[in-house]
Amino acid sequence: MKKILAALAAATALSLTVSGCGSSSGSSDVKPATNLDAETKKLVDEAKAAGKVTMYGMIEESVLRQIATDFEARYGVKVESVRLVSGDLSQRFSTEASSGKNRADLIMLTDSPFYDDALQKKWITSFADVDLPPMADELPKKDYAHDGATPIVGFVPTKLVYNTDAVDQAPTDWKAYADPKFKGKILLAEPDSSPADLTFWSLMRQQYGDGFLRQIAANAPKVSGGAVPGTQAVAAGEGDLGYPG
């Protein structure tokens, strides 16, 4: 059975809040699906016969693994998950697709022009063009992007994080990144690691001007590998402030 490549868009919202991170155990309490309609059961049987599903994603690794574990427990279809930040993930997918050696069956990353390019080059299949079972119609049409091609499966807030042992009071403004007292104590993800990061810094430039970005640069921020490792590093005391969380 030929694999169908599909894309899931994870939209990003911006907010200034403080978050705590939990992790999944990797086990699943999901019960096997026993009340499937005939059309969905036929699709599940075909999926089992086709072999494992490979899913590329940019969400936190333990959560991505839990999705795979739960899906396998429910439908009996094995899912292999691969987690990278959006920039690296889209580059990997594009390289594989252009060489004709695509490993992924599904890709979930921050909403970006990647989807339009991948759809135009027929690297991925629009959800609007796939004959999905009735259960797939539960997602409202307004939650699809790119003319119905990609369902938005989540909104991920972008947050300022800080180490509570080092910072007495929660920052209430993004300008905290430019405060000289945090010089050498800021961890920032590479701006081009995700379309969401580029959008955020473009917003900061519009809101506060180039001088604000220069002040942040003067604070000599360190580069983290993305939201997850950056947040973990701040929690471990490697920095006082981090972005994104």
Side-chain angles (χ1 to χ4, degrees), residues 55 63-73 77-81:
M55 177 172 64
V63 178
L64 193 65
R65 286 199 305 267
Q66 190 69 56
I67 292 172
T69 300
D70 289 351
F71 189 87
E72 183 175 353
V77 179
K78 185 172 180 58
V79 180
E80 176 187 349
S81 61

Side-chain angles (χ1 to χ4, degrees), residues 47-224:
K48 288 179 181 177
K52 70 179 180 181
V53 172
T54 300
M55 177 172 64
Y56 285 6
M58 39 61 70
I59 59 176
E60 202 273 328
E61 188 168 3
S62 66
V63 178
L64 193 65
R65 286 199 305 267
Q66 190 69 56
I67 292 172
T69 300
D70 289 351
F71 189 87
E72 183 175 353
R74 183 165 177 77
Y75 298 109
V77 179
K78 185 172 180 58
V79 180
E80 176 187 349
S81 61
V82 176
R83 194 266 172 190
L84 291 169
V85 297
S86 287
D88 292 344
L89 197 61
S90 59
Q91 182 175 354
R92 172 169 173 167
F93 184 93
S94 299
T95 299
E96 291 176 349
S98 60
S99 66
K101 299 178 180 179
N102 216 324
R103 287 189 57 213
D105 299 293
L106 289 166
I107 181 168
M108 176 172 54
L109 75 163
T110 308
D111 194 20
S112 72
F114 161 82
Y115 290 112
D116 292 322
D117 186 47
L119 286 162
Q120 183 179 10
K121 293 176 179 176
K122 300 188 183 303
W123 291 344
I124 58 177
T125 302
S126 168
F127 271 68
D129 298 334
V130 179
D131 186 18
L132 296 173
M135 59 185 291
D137 293 333
E138 295 176 4
L139 187 68
K141 298 302 181 184
K142 66 180 179 62
D143 291 333
Y144 281 81
H146 305 276
D147 295 324
T150 58
I152 298 173
V153 297
F155 288 90
V156 184
T158 296
K159 304 177 180 182
L160 183 155
V161 294
Y162 69 98
N163 185 302
T164 55
D165 290 334
V167 181
D168 295 332
Q169 190 170 358
T172 58
D173 196 294
W174 297 111
K175 291 181 179 179
Y177 292 125
D179 192 327
K181 72 180 181 182
F182 293 117
K183 185 171 184 177
K185 302 175 181 179
I186 301 173
L187 291 172
L188 302 177
E190 285 278 11
D192 61 356
S193 65
S194 166
D197 292 344
L198 289 173
T199 300
F200 171 79
W201 290 114
S202 294
L203 177 62
M204 292 297 99
R205 185 184 184 192
Q206 293 173 20
Q207 188 75 20
Y208 302 117
D210 290 343
F212 172 65
L213 300 184
R214 293 191 185 97
Q215 288 175 317
I216 295 176
N219 275 341
K222 303 171 187 174
V223 175
S224 70

